[in-house]
Amino acid sequence: MIFCCDVLKIDMTTFTSYPDLMDLLDDSNIVMILSTIVIILLTTILYVLARGKTERSSVLFVGISGAGKTQLFAQLVSGQTKETVTSLKENEAMYNTSADSSGKTKQLTMVDIPGSSSIRSQIFDNFKSKVRGLLFVVDSGNAQRNIKDVAVFIYQLLTDEIVNKFQPKILIACNKQDLLQAKSKRVIQGLLENELNTVRKTQSARLSHEDDDTSDATASGSTVFLGRKNESFQFQHLNKFDVKFCECSGEVGEENGPIEIDEVKQWIDSL
Protein backbone atom coordinates (compact mmCIF):
# COMPACT_ATOMS: atom_id res chain seq x y z
CA MET A 1 0.00 0.00 0.00
CA ILE A 2 2.77 2.42 0.83
CA PHE A 3 4.45 1.68 -2.50
CA CYS A 4 1.22 2.32 -4.38
CA CYS A 5 0.59 5.57 -2.59
CA ASP A 6 4.11 6.78 -3.24
CA VAL A 7 3.73 6.06 -6.93
CA LEU A 8 0.44 7.89 -7.02
CA LYS A 9 1.94 10.83 -5.22
CA ILE A 10 4.78 11.09 -7.69
CA ASP A 11 2.44 10.86 -10.67
CA MET A 12 0.13 13.59 -9.39
CA THR A 13 3.02 15.88 -8.59
CA THR A 14 4.46 15.38 -12.02
CA PHE A 15 1.09 16.05 -13.68
CA THR A 16 0.36 19.19 -11.75
CA SER A 17 3.83 20.51 -12.43
CA TYR A 18 3.03 21.00 -16.17
CA PRO A 19 2.09 24.63 -16.90
CA ASP A 20 -1.37 25.30 -18.23
CA LEU A 21 -1.45 25.41 -22.04
CA MET A 22 -3.08 28.82 -22.08
CA ASP A 23 -0.20 30.23 -20.05
CA LEU A 24 2.05 29.52 -23.03
CA LEU A 25 -0.28 31.35 -25.43
CA ASP A 26 0.13 34.99 -24.57
CA ASP A 27 -1.51 37.68 -26.69
CA SER A 28 1.37 38.00 -29.14
CA ASN A 29 1.42 34.25 -29.86
CA ILE A 30 -2.32 34.15 -30.47
CA VAL A 31 -2.15 37.10 -32.89
CA MET A 32 0.73 35.48 -34.76
CA ILE A 33 -1.11 32.15 -35.13
CA LEU A 34 -4.33 33.79 -36.29
CA SER A 35 -2.47 35.99 -38.77
CA THR A 36 -0.71 32.95 -40.23
CA ILE A 37 -4.02 31.11 -40.65
CA VAL A 38 -5.63 34.11 -42.38
CA ILE A 39 -2.66 34.50 -44.76
CA ILE A 40 -2.79 30.81 -45.70
CA LEU A 41 -6.53 30.96 -46.35
CA LEU A 42 -6.32 34.11 -48.48
CA THR A 43 -3.40 32.73 -50.49
CA THR A 44 -5.33 29.53 -51.19
CA ILE A 45 -8.47 31.40 -52.25
CA LEU A 46 -6.56 33.76 -54.57
CA TYR A 47 -4.69 30.83 -56.12
CA VAL A 48 -7.90 28.94 -56.83
CA LEU A 49 -9.59 32.03 -58.34
CA ALA A 50 -6.57 32.90 -60.49
CA ARG A 51 -6.21 29.33 -61.68
CA GLY A 52 -9.88 29.10 -62.63
CA LYS A 53 -9.76 32.37 -64.55
CA THR A 54 -6.61 31.31 -66.40
CA GLU A 55 -7.99 27.92 -67.36
CA ARG A 56 -11.25 29.36 -68.68
CA SER A 57 -9.71 31.32 -71.52
CA SER A 58 -11.74 30.08 -74.51
CA VAL A 59 -14.15 32.04 -76.67
CA LEU A 60 -16.51 29.60 -78.38
CA PHE A 61 -18.11 30.53 -81.71
CA VAL A 62 -21.46 28.77 -81.96
CA GLY A 63 -24.54 28.89 -84.16
CA ILE A 64 -26.41 26.84 -86.74
CA SER A 65 -24.87 26.02 -90.13
CA GLY A 66 -24.64 28.90 -92.57
CA ALA A 67 -24.57 31.68 -89.97
CA GLY A 68 -21.07 32.82 -91.00
CA LYS A 69 -19.17 31.68 -87.89
CA THR A 70 -16.06 30.54 -89.74
CA GLN A 71 -15.79 33.72 -91.81
CA LEU A 72 -16.10 35.82 -88.66
CA PHE A 73 -13.56 33.58 -86.92
CA ALA A 74 -11.11 33.96 -89.84
CA GLN A 75 -11.48 37.75 -89.90
CA LEU A 76 -10.76 38.01 -86.19
CA VAL A 77 -7.74 35.71 -86.02
CA SER A 78 -6.11 36.49 -89.39
CA GLY A 79 -7.86 39.52 -90.86
CA GLN A 80 -8.59 37.55 -94.02
CA THR A 81 -11.66 36.19 -95.78
CA LYS A 82 -11.53 32.50 -96.61
CA GLU A 83 -13.63 30.10 -98.62
CA THR A 84 -15.58 27.86 -96.27
CA VAL A 85 -17.42 24.57 -96.48
CA THR A 86 -19.52 22.78 -93.90
CA SER A 87 -17.00 21.78 -91.25
CA LEU A 88 -16.89 18.46 -89.42
CA LYS A 89 -14.35 19.57 -86.80
CA GLU A 90 -13.55 22.68 -84.84
CA ASN A 91 -11.15 25.44 -85.87
CA GLU A 92 -8.89 26.69 -83.11
CA ALA A 93 -6.47 29.64 -82.89
CA MET A 94 -4.86 31.94 -80.35
CA TYR A 95 -6.00 35.57 -80.20
CA ASN A 96 -4.39 38.56 -78.52
CA THR A 97 -6.78 41.25 -77.34
CA SER A 98 -6.13 44.95 -77.77
CA ALA A 99 -4.11 46.59 -75.03
CA ASP A 100 -6.10 48.03 -72.14
CA SER A 101 -5.49 51.40 -70.48
CA SER A 102 -2.46 49.99 -68.66
CA GLY A 103 -0.97 48.53 -71.84
CA LYS A 104 -1.75 44.92 -70.97
CA THR A 105 -3.20 42.38 -73.39
CA LYS A 106 -4.85 38.99 -72.88
CA GLN A 107 -4.32 35.84 -74.88
CA LEU A 108 -7.50 33.88 -75.54
CA THR A 109 -8.24 30.65 -77.37
CA MET A 110 -10.78 31.09 -80.15
CA VAL A 111 -12.73 27.95 -81.05
CA ASP A 112 -15.08 27.74 -84.03
CA ILE A 113 -17.64 24.98 -83.30
CA PRO A 114 -19.27 23.33 -86.36
CA GLY A 115 -22.94 24.23 -86.80
CA SER A 116 -24.21 20.83 -87.93
CA SER A 117 -26.82 19.56 -85.46
CA SER A 118 -25.39 16.03 -85.66
CA ILE A 119 -21.98 16.92 -84.20
CA ARG A 120 -22.07 20.37 -82.61
CA SER A 121 -23.22 19.26 -79.15
CA GLN A 122 -20.52 16.61 -78.87
CA ILE A 123 -17.76 19.03 -79.91
CA PHE A 124 -19.14 21.80 -77.68
CA ASP A 125 -19.01 19.42 -74.71
CA ASN A 126 -15.25 19.06 -75.23
CA PHE A 127 -14.67 22.79 -74.73
CA LYS A 128 -17.43 24.08 -72.46
CA SER A 129 -15.51 23.56 -69.22
CA LYS A 130 -12.97 26.19 -70.39
CA VAL A 131 -15.44 28.72 -71.79
CA ARG A 132 -14.92 32.37 -70.94
CA GLY A 133 -17.20 33.81 -73.58
CA LEU A 134 -19.92 32.43 -75.87
CA LEU A 135 -20.25 34.14 -79.25
CA PHE A 136 -23.50 32.99 -80.87
CA VAL A 137 -23.63 33.96 -84.55
CA VAL A 138 -27.00 34.49 -86.27
CA ASP A 139 -27.58 34.90 -90.01
CA SER A 140 -29.51 38.19 -90.05
CA GLY A 141 -30.60 37.65 -93.64
CA ASN A 142 -32.44 34.40 -92.81
CA ALA A 143 -33.25 35.11 -89.17
CA GLN A 144 -37.02 34.78 -89.48
CA ARG A 145 -36.85 31.54 -91.46
CA ASN A 146 -34.30 29.93 -89.11
CA ILE A 147 -35.57 31.38 -85.83
CA LYS A 148 -36.90 28.08 -84.44
CA ASP A 149 -33.64 26.19 -85.01
CA VAL A 150 -31.64 29.10 -83.61
CA ALA A 151 -33.84 29.35 -80.50
CA VAL A 152 -33.67 25.61 -79.79
CA PHE A 153 -29.85 25.70 -79.98
CA ILE A 154 -29.64 28.78 -77.74
CA TYR A 155 -31.98 27.10 -75.26
CA GLN A 156 -29.73 24.03 -75.14
CA LEU A 157 -26.68 26.19 -74.45
CA LEU A 158 -28.30 28.42 -71.82
CA THR A 159 -29.74 25.49 -69.85
CA ASP A 160 -26.52 23.48 -69.92
CA GLU A 161 -25.45 22.84 -66.32
CA ILE A 162 -21.72 23.39 -66.99
CA VAL A 163 -22.43 26.66 -68.80
CA ASN A 164 -24.56 27.77 -65.85
CA LYS A 165 -21.80 26.81 -63.44
CA PHE A 166 -19.14 28.97 -65.15
CA GLN A 167 -21.51 31.73 -66.34
CA PRO A 168 -19.58 32.98 -69.39
CA LYS A 169 -20.44 36.31 -70.98
CA ILE A 170 -22.60 35.92 -74.08
CA LEU A 171 -22.68 37.93 -77.29
CA ILE A 172 -25.34 37.28 -79.92
CA ALA A 173 -23.77 38.58 -83.12
CA CYS A 174 -26.35 39.42 -85.79
CA ASN A 175 -24.13 38.69 -88.78
CA LYS A 176 -24.46 39.47 -92.53
CA GLN A 177 -25.78 42.97 -91.95
CA ASP A 178 -24.57 43.83 -95.47
CA LEU A 179 -27.58 41.98 -96.92
CA LEU A 180 -30.59 44.11 -97.88
CA GLN A 181 -33.01 41.71 -96.17
CA ALA A 182 -30.98 41.60 -92.94
CA LYS A 183 -32.96 42.08 -89.72
CA SER A 184 -31.69 44.50 -87.09
CA LYS A 185 -30.45 43.28 -83.71
CA ARG A 186 -33.59 44.63 -82.02
CA VAL A 187 -35.85 42.68 -84.35
CA ILE A 188 -33.78 39.50 -83.91
CA GLN A 189 -33.81 39.89 -80.13
CA GLY A 190 -37.60 40.16 -80.16
CA LEU A 191 -37.97 37.15 -82.45
CA LEU A 192 -35.68 35.08 -80.25
CA GLU A 193 -37.40 36.07 -77.01
CA ASN A 194 -40.80 35.06 -78.41
CA GLU A 195 -39.50 31.77 -79.79
CA LEU A 196 -37.51 30.94 -76.64
CA ASN A 197 -40.67 31.48 -74.62
CA THR A 198 -42.36 28.84 -76.78
CA VAL A 199 -39.39 26.45 -76.56
CA ARG A 200 -39.27 26.86 -72.79
CA LYS A 201 -42.97 25.97 -72.44
CA THR A 202 -42.51 22.91 -74.64
CA GLN A 203 -39.44 21.70 -72.76
CA SER A 204 -40.99 22.35 -69.33
CA ALA A 205 -44.11 20.38 -70.29
CA ARG A 206 -41.99 17.49 -71.55
CA LEU A 207 -39.94 17.38 -68.36
CA SER A 208 -43.04 17.50 -66.17
CA HIS A 209 -44.37 14.38 -67.92
CA GLU A 210 -41.10 12.60 -67.20
CA ASP A 211 -41.03 13.36 -63.48
CA ASP A 212 -42.53 9.98 -62.62
CA ASP A 213 -39.73 8.17 -64.43
CA THR A 214 -36.43 9.04 -62.76
CA SER A 215 -34.24 7.37 -65.35
CA ASP A 216 -35.94 9.13 -68.26
CA ALA A 217 -35.87 12.50 -66.50
CA THR A 218 -32.16 12.16 -65.83
CA ALA A 219 -31.44 11.10 -69.39
CA SER A 220 -33.39 14.03 -70.82
CA GLY A 221 -30.63 16.44 -69.76
CA SER A 222 -30.57 19.68 -67.79
CA THR A 223 -33.08 20.70 -65.16
CA VAL A 224 -32.04 24.38 -65.33
CA PHE A 225 -35.00 26.72 -65.80
CA LEU A 226 -34.36 29.47 -68.34
CA GLY A 227 -35.28 32.96 -67.17
CA ARG A 228 -37.89 33.74 -64.52
CA LYS A 229 -40.80 31.52 -63.70
CA ASN A 230 -44.30 32.85 -64.41
CA GLU A 231 -42.87 35.59 -66.66
CA SER A 232 -42.42 35.75 -70.42
CA PHE A 233 -38.80 35.15 -71.36
CA GLN A 234 -36.49 38.13 -71.79
CA PHE A 235 -32.73 38.14 -72.19
CA GLN A 236 -32.46 40.81 -69.50
CA HIS A 237 -33.51 38.15 -66.98
CA LEU A 238 -30.18 36.38 -67.57
CA ASN A 239 -28.04 38.77 -65.54
CA LYS A 240 -25.41 36.14 -64.79
CA PHE A 241 -24.56 35.83 -68.49
CA ASP A 242 -24.59 39.57 -69.28
CA VAL A 243 -26.14 38.83 -72.69
CA LYS A 244 -25.46 41.47 -75.34
CA PHE A 245 -26.48 41.86 -79.00
CA CYS A 246 -24.48 43.43 -81.80
CA GLU A 247 -24.65 43.85 -85.57
CA CYS A 248 -21.72 42.76 -87.73
CA SER A 249 -20.60 41.63 -91.18
CA GLY A 250 -17.83 39.05 -91.24
CA GLU A 251 -17.37 39.07 -95.00
CA VAL A 252 -18.02 41.10 -98.12
CA GLY A 253 -21.47 39.89 -99.15
CA GLU A 254 -23.65 40.02 -102.22
CA GLU A 255 -24.24 43.74 -101.78
CA ASN A 256 -20.46 44.33 -101.38
CA GLY A 257 -20.94 45.87 -97.97
CA PRO A 258 -17.92 46.56 -95.79
CA ILE A 259 -16.63 44.14 -93.17
CA GLU A 260 -17.83 45.39 -89.78
CA ILE A 261 -16.54 43.49 -86.74
CA ASP A 262 -15.46 46.29 -84.38
CA GLU A 263 -18.25 45.59 -81.85
CA VAL A 264 -17.26 41.94 -81.75
CA LYS A 265 -13.62 42.87 -81.09
CA GLN A 266 -14.63 45.26 -78.31
CA TRP A 267 -16.70 42.56 -76.64
CA ILE A 268 -13.82 40.07 -76.81
CA ASP A 269 -11.45 42.68 -75.36
CA SER A 270 -13.83 43.10 -72.40
CA LEU A 271 -13.70 39.42 -71.39
Side-chain angles (χ1 to χ4, degrees), residues 223-243:
T223 57
V224 176
F225 186 85
L226 184 64
R228 298 175 184 170
K229 293 185 177 180
N230 302 319
E231 291 188 37
S232 296
F233 175 78
Q234 296 180 47
F235 282 102
Q236 67 181 10
H237 295 164
L238 306 179
N239 295 328
K240 60 185 176 182
F241 293 123
D242 190 22
V243 181

mmCIF file of all heavy atoms in Angstrom, residues 223-243:
data_model
loop_
_atom_site.group_PDB
_atom_site.id
_atom_site.type_symbol
_atom_site.label_atom_id
_atom_site.label_comp_id
_atom_site.label_asym_id
_atom_site.label_seq_id
_atom_site.Cartn_x
_atom_site.Cartn_y
_atom_site.Cartn_z
ATOM 1 N N THR A 223 -31.875 20.302 -65.880
ATOM 2 C CA THR A 223 -33.084 20.699 -65.157
ATOM 3 C C THR A 223 -33.056 22.202 -64.868
ATOM 4 O O THR A 223 -33.823 22.696 -64.049
ATOM 5 C CB THR A 223 -33.196 19.923 -63.833
ATOM 6 O OG1 THR A 223 -32.013 20.155 -63.054
ATOM 7 C CG2 THR A 223 -33.362 18.437 -64.092
ATOM 8 N N VAL A 224 -32.145 22.935 -65.520
ATOM 9 C CA VAL A 224 -32.038 24.377 -65.332
ATOM 10 C C VAL A 224 -33.226 25.071 -65.988
ATOM 11 O O VAL A 224 -33.549 24.810 -67.149
ATOM 12 C CB VAL A 224 -30.728 24.913 -65.951
ATOM 13 C CG1 VAL A 224 -30.667 26.434 -65.840
ATOM 14 C CG2 VAL A 224 -29.518 24.280 -65.271
ATOM 15 N N PHE A 225 -33.882 25.964 -65.241
ATOM 16 C CA PHE A 225 -35.003 26.719 -65.804
ATOM 17 C C PHE A 225 -34.460 28.008 -66.409
ATOM 18 O O PHE A 225 -33.702 28.750 -65.771
ATOM 19 C CB PHE A 225 -36.041 27.049 -64.731
ATOM 20 C CG PHE A 225 -37.278 27.711 -65.278
ATOM 21 C CD1 PHE A 225 -38.318 26.951 -65.792
ATOM 22 C CD2 PHE A 225 -37.394 29.097 -65.291
ATOM 23 C CE1 PHE A 225 -39.450 27.552 -66.312
ATOM 24 C CE2 PHE A 225 -38.520 29.713 -65.811
ATOM 25 C CZ PHE A 225 -39.558 28.934 -66.320
ATOM 26 N N LEU A 226 -34.862 28.294 -67.627
ATOM 27 C CA LEU A 226 -34.361 29.470 -68.337
ATOM 28 C C LEU A 226 -35.210 30.696 -68.018
ATOM 29 O O LEU A 226 -36.418 30.719 -68.266
ATOM 30 C CB LEU A 226 -34.379 29.206 -69.846
ATOM 31 C CG LEU A 226 -33.795 30.312 -70.729
ATOM 32 C CD1 LEU A 226 -32.312 30.497 -70.448
ATOM 33 C CD2 LEU A 226 -34.027 29.997 -72.203
ATOM 34 N N GLY A 227 -34.573 31.719 -67.466
ATOM 35 C CA GLY A 227 -35.276 32.962 -67.168
ATOM 36 C C GLY A 227 -35.991 32.936 -65.837
ATOM 37 O O GLY A 227 -35.557 32.275 -64.894
ATOM 38 N N ARG A 228 -37.120 33.648 -65.757
ATOM 39 C CA ARG A 228 -37.891 33.743 -64.521
ATOM 40 C C ARG A 228 -39.210 32.994 -64.680
ATOM 41 O O ARG A 228 -39.880 33.132 -65.713
ATOM 42 C CB ARG A 228 -38.176 35.206 -64.174
ATOM 43 C CG ARG A 228 -36.937 36.035 -63.930
ATOM 44 C CD ARG A 228 -37.302 37.499 -63.711
ATOM 45 N NE ARG A 228 -36.120 38.333 -63.558
ATOM 46 C CZ ARG A 228 -36.138 39.657 -63.537
ATOM 47 N NH1 ARG A 228 -37.315 40.300 -63.649
ATOM 48 N NH2 ARG A 228 -35.023 40.351 -63.408
ATOM 49 N N LYS A 229 -39.546 32.261 -63.661
ATOM 50 C CA LYS A 229 -40.804 31.516 -63.696
ATOM 51 C C LYS A 229 -41.995 32.477 -63.654
ATOM 52 O O LYS A 229 -41.942 33.522 -63.022
ATOM 53 C CB LYS A 229 -40.869 30.531 -62.533
ATOM 54 C CG LYS A 229 -39.843 29.406 -62.649
ATOM 55 C CD LYS A 229 -40.005 28.377 -61.554
ATOM 56 C CE LYS A 229 -39.009 27.231 -61.739
ATOM 57 N NZ LYS A 229 -39.145 26.196 -60.682
ATOM 58 N N ASN A 230 -43.052 32.091 -64.347
ATOM 59 C CA ASN A 230 -44.301 32.854 -64.408
ATOM 60 C C ASN A 230 -44.147 34.209 -65.098
ATOM 61 O O ASN A 230 -44.977 35.107 -64.932
ATOM 62 C CB ASN A 230 -44.868 33.066 -62.992
ATOM 63 C CG ASN A 230 -45.119 31.751 -62.276
ATOM 64 O OD1 ASN A 230 -45.603 30.791 -62.874
ATOM 65 N ND2 ASN A 230 -44.767 31.701 -60.999
ATOM 66 N N GLU A 231 -43.054 34.376 -65.873
ATOM 67 C CA GLU A 231 -42.869 35.586 -66.664
ATOM 68 C C GLU A 231 -42.432 35.197 -68.063
ATOM 69 O O GLU A 231 -41.707 34.218 -68.248
ATOM 70 C CB GLU A 231 -41.809 36.510 -66.037
ATOM 71 C CG GLU A 231 -42.222 37.147 -64.727
ATOM 72 C CD GLU A 231 -41.214 38.189 -64.261
ATOM 73 O OE1 GLU A 231 -40.661 38.910 -65.122
ATOM 74 O OE2 GLU A 231 -40.975 38.274 -63.048
ATOM 75 N N SER A 232 -42.865 35.984 -69.059
ATOM 76 C CA SER A 232 -42.418 35.751 -70.424
ATOM 77 C C SER A 232 -40.905 35.936 -70.499
ATOM 78 O O SER A 232 -40.340 36.816 -69.832
ATOM 79 C CB SER A 232 -43.101 36.723 -71.388
ATOM 80 O OG SER A 232 -44.498 36.495 -71.418
ATOM 81 N N PHE A 233 -40.266 35.115 -71.315
ATOM 82 C CA PHE A 233 -38.801 35.148 -71.363
ATOM 83 C C PHE A 233 -38.279 36.454 -71.945
ATOM 84 O O PHE A 233 -38.785 36.965 -72.939
ATOM 85 C CB PHE A 233 -38.265 33.984 -72.205
ATOM 86 C CG PHE A 233 -36.771 34.058 -72.384
ATOM 87 C CD1 PHE A 233 -35.919 33.660 -71.363
ATOM 88 C CD2 PHE A 233 -36.226 34.578 -73.554
ATOM 89 C CE1 PHE A 233 -34.547 33.763 -71.513
ATOM 90 C CE2 PHE A 233 -34.851 34.677 -73.710
ATOM 91 C CZ PHE A 233 -34.014 34.268 -72.689
ATOM 92 N N GLN A 234 -37.239 36.980 -71.292
ATOM 93 C CA GLN A 234 -36.495 38.134 -71.793
ATOM 94 C C GLN A 234 -35.017 37.905 -71.493
ATOM 95 O O GLN A 234 -34.662 37.366 -70.436
ATOM 96 C CB GLN A 234 -36.955 39.436 -71.129
ATOM 97 C CG GLN A 234 -38.389 39.823 -71.419
ATOM 98 C CD GLN A 234 -38.763 41.123 -70.733
ATOM 99 O OE1 GLN A 234 -38.017 42.108 -70.794
ATOM 100 N NE2 GLN A 234 -39.916 41.145 -70.086
ATOM 101 N N PHE A 235 -34.163 38.325 -72.402
ATOM 102 C CA PHE A 235 -32.728 38.144 -72.187
ATOM 103 C C PHE A 235 -32.226 38.929 -70.981
ATOM 104 O O PHE A 235 -31.240 38.548 -70.351
ATOM 105 C CB PHE A 235 -31.938 38.547 -73.440
ATOM 106 C CG PHE A 235 -31.962 37.503 -74.522
ATOM 107 C CD1 PHE A 235 -32.788 37.659 -75.622
ATOM 108 C CD2 PHE A 235 -31.170 36.366 -74.436
ATOM 109 C CE1 PHE A 235 -32.821 36.700 -76.623
ATOM 110 C CE2 PHE A 235 -31.201 35.401 -75.429
ATOM 111 C CZ PHE A 235 -32.018 35.562 -76.528
ATOM 112 N N GLN A 236 -32.899 40.020 -70.640
ATOM 113 C CA GLN A 236 -32.458 40.811 -69.496
ATOM 114 C C GLN A 236 -32.625 40.063 -68.169
ATOM 115 O O GLN A 236 -32.066 40.479 -67.154
ATOM 116 C CB GLN A 236 -33.205 42.138 -69.445
ATOM 117 C CG GLN A 236 -34.696 42.021 -69.155
ATOM 118 C CD GLN A 236 -35.386 43.374 -69.146
ATOM 119 O OE1 GLN A 236 -34.798 44.384 -69.537
ATOM 120 N NE2 GLN A 236 -36.613 43.407 -68.681
ATOM 121 N N HIS A 237 -33.382 38.964 -68.184
ATOM 122 C CA HIS A 237 -33.512 38.153 -66.975
ATOM 123 C C HIS A 237 -32.251 37.326 -66.706
ATOM 124 O O HIS A 237 -32.081 36.803 -65.608
ATOM 125 C CB HIS A 237 -34.705 37.198 -67.110
ATOM 126 C CG HIS A 237 -36.025 37.895 -67.205
ATOM 127 N ND1 HIS A 237 -37.175 37.277 -67.653
ATOM 128 C CD2 HIS A 237 -36.390 39.179 -66.897
ATOM 129 C CE1 HIS A 237 -38.181 38.136 -67.617
ATOM 130 N NE2 HIS A 237 -37.729 39.295 -67.170
ATOM 131 N N LEU A 238 -31.385 37.214 -67.701
ATOM 132 C CA LEU A 238 -30.185 36.376 -67.569
ATOM 133 C C LEU A 238 -28.992 37.232 -67.158
ATOM 134 O O LEU A 238 -27.983 37.323 -67.870
ATOM 135 C CB LEU A 238 -29.902 35.654 -68.888
ATOM 136 C CG LEU A 238 -31.061 34.840 -69.479
ATOM 137 C CD1 LEU A 238 -30.645 34.209 -70.799
ATOM 138 C CD2 LEU A 238 -31.528 33.769 -68.500
ATOM 139 N N ASN A 239 -29.089 37.862 -65.996
ATOM 140 C CA ASN A 239 -28.038 38.770 -65.540
ATOM 141 C C ASN A 239 -26.685 38.090 -65.424
ATOM 142 O O ASN A 239 -25.642 38.698 -65.685
ATOM 143 C CB ASN A 239 -28.421 39.381 -64.188
ATOM 144 C CG ASN A 239 -29.643 40.277 -64.283
ATOM 145 O OD1 ASN A 239 -29.859 40.905 -65.310
ATOM 146 N ND2 ASN A 239 -30.436 40.315 -63.231
ATOM 147 N N LYS A 240 -26.685 36.830 -65.027
ATOM 148 C CA LYS A 240 -25.413 36.136 -64.794
ATOM 149 C C LYS A 240 -24.604 35.950 -66.065
ATOM 150 O O LYS A 240 -23.384 35.779 -66.008
ATOM 151 C CB LYS A 240 -25.667 34.778 -64.129
ATOM 152 C CG LYS A 240 -26.525 33.825 -64.940
ATOM 153 C CD LYS A 240 -26.813 32.558 -64.151
ATOM 154 C CE LYS A 240 -27.755 31.623 -64.901
ATOM 155 N NZ LYS A 240 -28.069 30.419 -64.099
ATOM 156 N N PHE A 241 -25.271 35.991 -67.226
ATOM 157 C CA PHE A 241 -24.564 35.830 -68.494
ATOM 158 C C PHE A 241 -24.230 37.163 -69.164
ATOM 159 O O PHE A 241 -23.466 37.182 -70.128
ATOM 160 C CB PHE A 241 -25.396 34.985 -69.469
ATOM 161 C CG PHE A 241 -25.575 33.557 -69.049
ATOM 162 C CD1 PHE A 241 -26.846 33.021 -68.885
ATOM 163 C CD2 PHE A 241 -24.481 32.736 -68.818
ATOM 164 C CE1 PHE A 241 -27.023 31.693 -68.511
ATOM 165 C CE2 PHE A 241 -24.643 31.411 -68.442
ATOM 166 C CZ PHE A 241 -25.923 30.895 -68.289
ATOM 167 N N ASP A 242 -24.834 38.243 -68.696
ATOM 168 C CA ASP A 242 -24.586 39.567 -69.277
ATOM 169 C C ASP A 242 -24.738 39.505 -70.803
ATOM 170 O O ASP A 242 -23.837 39.887 -71.558
ATOM 171 C CB ASP A 242 -23.191 40.063 -68.894
ATOM 172 C CG ASP A 242 -22.969 41.530 -69.263
ATOM 173 O OD1 ASP A 242 -23.970 42.257 -69.416
ATOM 174 O OD2 ASP A 242 -21.806 41.929 -69.426
ATOM 175 N N VAL A 243 -25.905 39.029 -71.262
ATOM 176 C CA VAL A 243 -26.141 38.827 -72.695
ATOM 177 C C VAL A 243 -26.215 40.167 -73.425
ATOM 178 O O VAL A 243 -26.924 41.077 -73.014
ATOM 179 C CB VAL A 243 -27.452 38.048 -72.943
ATOM 180 C CG1 VAL A 243 -27.666 37.829 -74.441
ATOM 181 C CG2 VAL A 243 -27.421 36.713 -72.208
#
